[in-house]
Amino acid sequence: QDPLRPDVPDAVRACQQAGITVRMVTGDNIDTARAIARECGILTEGGLALNGPEFRAMSPQELDAVLPRLQVLARSSPTDKHTLV
């Protein structure tokens, strides 16, 4: 894994303090994504990390249930990003 840029944790924290939900959507594998997200303050206690294929298999009702806790989406596709937004 590449090192984080030094300003990333502060930028994430500033967004969170402003009420912005920060999520990581990446093509990286789930383990790498979790590690990076924890390091920069995106993945927190009680937060959820999912793989794209798992995300894509969810029904609209299941998505409604997990989206409030979703902080990391790994192995994502452009369609996943569109669904998330």
Side-chain angles (χ1 to χ4, degrees):
Q1 131 187 357
D2 293 331
L4 287 181
R5 290 185 10 216
D7 57 335
V8 170
D10 289 338
V12 169
R13 193 170 20 266
C15 289
Q16 291 167 333
Q17 289 172 347
I20 298 168
T21 300
V22 179
R23 293 187 171 114
M24 175 187 286
V25 181
T26 181
D28 287 337
N29 73 61
I30 192 78
D31 295 327
T32 301
R34 279 188 185 122
I36 294 168
R38 280 190 187 107
E39 189 176 346
C40 64
I42 293 172
L43 185 58
T44 60
E45 188 70 31
L48 184 62
L50 293 174
N51 271 309
E54 183 181 5
F55 180 79
R56 287 189 290 280
M58 291 183 168
S59 70
Q61 294 79 16
E62 291 170 321
L63 287 172
D64 286 344
V66 301
L67 285 178
R69 291 183 41 234
L70 182 63
Q71 295 176 335
V72 178
L73 185 56
R75 294 289 185 207
S76 65
S77 71
T79 304
D80 296 339
K81 296 172 189 176
H82 183 265
T83 300
L84 185 58
V85 173

